[in-house]
Amino acid sequence: MGLEFDYMREAMERQHISGDGYFTRHCHAFLEKELGVNKVLLTTSCTAALEMIGILLDLRPGDEIILPSFTFVTVANAFVLRGGRPVFVDIKPDTLNIDPDLIEARITKRTKAIVAVHYAGIACEMDRLLAIGHSFGIPVIEDNAHGLFGRFHGRALGSFGTFATQSFHETKNITCGEGGALIINDPKYADRAEILWEKGTDRRKFFAGLVDRYTWVDIGSSFLLSDLLAAFLFAQLGSRDRIQALRRRVWEYYFSELSALAASFSIGLPFVPDDCENPFHLFYILLPSEFARDELIDWLRAAKIGSAFHYLPLHLSRMGLSFGYKKGDYPVTESVSGRLLRLPFYNSLSQTDQDRVISAIEDFCASSPAIWRAKAGQ
Ligand SMILES: *Cc1c(COP(=O)(O)O)cnc(C)c1O
């Protein structure tokens, strides 16, 4: 905790705790400068920012959005809400990001966007995705919920797409409990984005003195984040270096301490390509089989260590099946989803606690040879 309480008190003293206040403007300026982006609007969530994109793209029923199946549900739902159809693409087995080689075959006349989700904050191949988008005239959107302060070829994630979204949910590196941001890199969408954000009115123009009254001019909703939460967020952004340093230490310790074990037992560790800068959002391992992964979860639970997995492939969910997808459609996604395990990862995780996690995994490997023999059959 840094200045969160002080800034929230200041927001109250300023008597402006609704949206678009003093701290919101500070967060906008901070993010615009740090990420080198054209325009930022704080939203109530990353999901809300994705929903705004669905409106800005004038999505019509039957329009298609290309996205990975290995991702969070709202990446699909924000567009499905407007009648869009999710068109899934498989991921690459190394970075677990959307596979650029598989995208072109999925593009049709109805494709309205390609969503690049930077899994674990490791960049998608943005040069290739932007080239595909450019050649078909389709905007690329970055879901950068995991990737705040990550980089690709030295450039901040969130600065590549026509739009990008951030999440400040409690589970993310920088948080205000619930919150998000829409980044608008193509200035042609900027005015309309402000109108949608302000419930479909030109209220922002009114406060800027550009119109003499404000009125209903478009569809929209209330997407603004309370300035009380923006105050909390601004304190978090100010602690960025401290937070990122803590997370880096946790990530690098897992990586170095697990390397030898991973090599002997065919356990996959995160892959960070040379042209990517890691923002240290999460740490996962990939077990050789789903059976081994589930056994390890139980083993860790018995040692009172909480681990987690994600994502159940969207194409195999009840909603995914209703769009006609079936098992076998995205083999890498299905395999990774069954084998991935996320280790405990938070800012205050001590090295002693990490050592407990690491020894428990070592003990598991040493005591369960059958699991590794079963590997070929899984
Ligand atoms: C967390 C997350 C979201 C949703 O964020 P909210 O702020 O909770 O709406 C979207 N996409 C990805 C990849 C996420 O990890």
Side-chain angles (χ1 to χ4, degrees):
M1 272 289 172
L3 293 168
E4 284 82 350
F5 279 124
D6 299 302
Y7 286 175
M8 288 177 88
R9 179 176 299 111
E10 188 181 338
M12 289 183 252
E13 283 164 3
R14 286 176 176 276
Q15 301 187 15
H16 182 129
I17 56 171
S18 59
D20 201 12
Y22 176 83
F23 285 100
T24 297
R25 288 192 288 276
H26 272 69
C27 291
H28 288 172
F30 180 98
L31 290 167
E32 283 161 9
K33 177 163 174 290
E34 289 301 311
L35 305 181
V37 298
N38 179 55
K39 185 177 185 60
V40 174
L41 292 173
L42 292 190
T43 55
T44 49
S45 64
C46 180
T47 301
L50 290 164
E51 288 174 11
M52 285 181 73
I53 296 171
I55 300 173
L56 287 165
L57 292 177
D58 278 324
L59 221 61
R60 302 268 181 265
D63 284 345
E64 296 170 358
I65 301 289
I66 290 180
L67 74 158
S69 170
F70 184 71
T71 194
F72 190 63
V73 57
T74 59
V75 185
N77 241 350
F79 304 107
V80 170
L81 198 57
R82 311 213 61 77
R85 180 184 164 77
V87 173
F88 297 117
V89 167
D90 213 349
I91 50 171
K92 291 171 48 127
D94 53 3
T95 56
L96 316 189
N97 280 331
I98 193 164
D99 188 339
D101 287 336
L102 304 176
I103 291 177
E104 283 189 36
R106 309 297 312 226
I107 292 176
T108 72
K109 282 200 198 59
R110 301 218 64 173
T111 307
K112 280 296 167 70
I114 300 167
V115 188
V117 182
H118 303 302
Y119 180 70
I122 305 306
C124 296
E125 291 163 75
M126 289 313 294
D127 44 357
R128 296 192 56 199
L129 296 185
L130 291 176
I132 295 167
H134 190 73
S135 70
F136 288 88
I138 299 168
V140 176
I141 299 164
E142 296 174 82
D143 178 330
N144 198 32
H146 294 183
L148 183 59
F149 307 131
R151 288 176 178 271
F152 179 67
H153 292 176
R155 203 171 124 188
L157 300 188
S159 69
F160 290 89
T162 302
F163 303 103
T165 61
Q166 300 293 154
S167 174
F168 304 115
H169 185 265
E170 186 162 39
T171 49
K172 306 303 198 282
N173 289 23
I174 300 281
T175 176
C176 60
E178 299 274 1
L182 173 65
I183 296 171
I184 304 120
N185 288 317
D186 184 339
K188 87 170 179 225
Y189 294 102
D191 279 351
R192 188 162 185 232
E194 284 190 350
I195 289 168
L196 303 186
W197 190 61
E198 273 284 20
K199 307 151 185 86
T201 73
D202 52 2
R203 192 162 184 261
R204 240 198 166 199
K205 283 207 171 105
F206 170 71
F207 283 118
L210 299 173
V211 292
D212 61 4
R213 68 189 67 187
Y214 77 87
T215 172
W216 183 18
V217 295
D218 199 342
I219 59 170
S221 191
S222 185
F223 289 112
L224 301 82
L225 187 71
S226 159
D227 216 54
L228 206 50
L229 291 176
F232 191 103
L233 181 63
F234 191 57
Q236 288 264 304
L237 290 170
S239 305
R240 161 209 173 154
D241 290 341
R242 186 179 56 81
I243 292 170
Q244 292 302 103
L246 290 168
R247 301 184 75 88
R248 176 182 191 142
R249 188 186 55 74
V250 173
W251 198 97
E252 289 181 343
Y253 193 65
Y254 273 140
F255 194 84
S256 68
E257 296 301 302
L258 287 170
S259 289
L261 186 77
S264 343
F265 288 92
S266 324
I267 295 175
L269 294 183
F271 170 63
V272 184
D274 286 341
D275 49 10
C276 296
E277 228 171 274
N278 188 352
F280 310 107
H281 175 54
L282 56 82
F283 195 94
Y284 66 86
I285 61 176
L286 281 169
L287 279 293
S289 67
E290 183 160 355
F291 178 67
R293 194 273 309 268
D294 293 346
E295 290 283 304
L296 178 55
I297 292 177
D298 290 346
W299 181 277
L300 292 174
R301 190 183 297 125
K304 300 203 161 34
I305 296 169
S307 60
F309 59 87
H310 72 182
Y311 296 102
L312 295 170
L314 293 180
H315 72 282
L316 297 180
S317 63
R318 192 202 303 177
M319 280 294 284
L321 298 172
S322 79
F323 282 101
Y325 295 102
K326 59 184 187 312
K327 202 163 168 51
D329 282 347
Y330 304 101
V332 182
T333 295
E334 290 170 25
S335 161
V336 163
S337 164
R339 296 183 296 114
L340 185 136
L341 188 69
R342 293 162 60 194
L343 302 185
F345 195 104
Y346 42 90
N347 300 350
S348 59
L349 187 65
S350 69
Q351 218 156 67
T352 319
D353 282 338
Q354 280 190 282
D355 284 333
R356 266 198 349 106
V357 176
I358 293 157
S359 335
I361 299 172
E362 283 166 355
D363 293 346
F364 171 78
C365 291
S367 66
S368 315
I371 288 165
W372 313 109
R373 279 201 300 277
K375 168 185 155 191
Q378 291 285 320

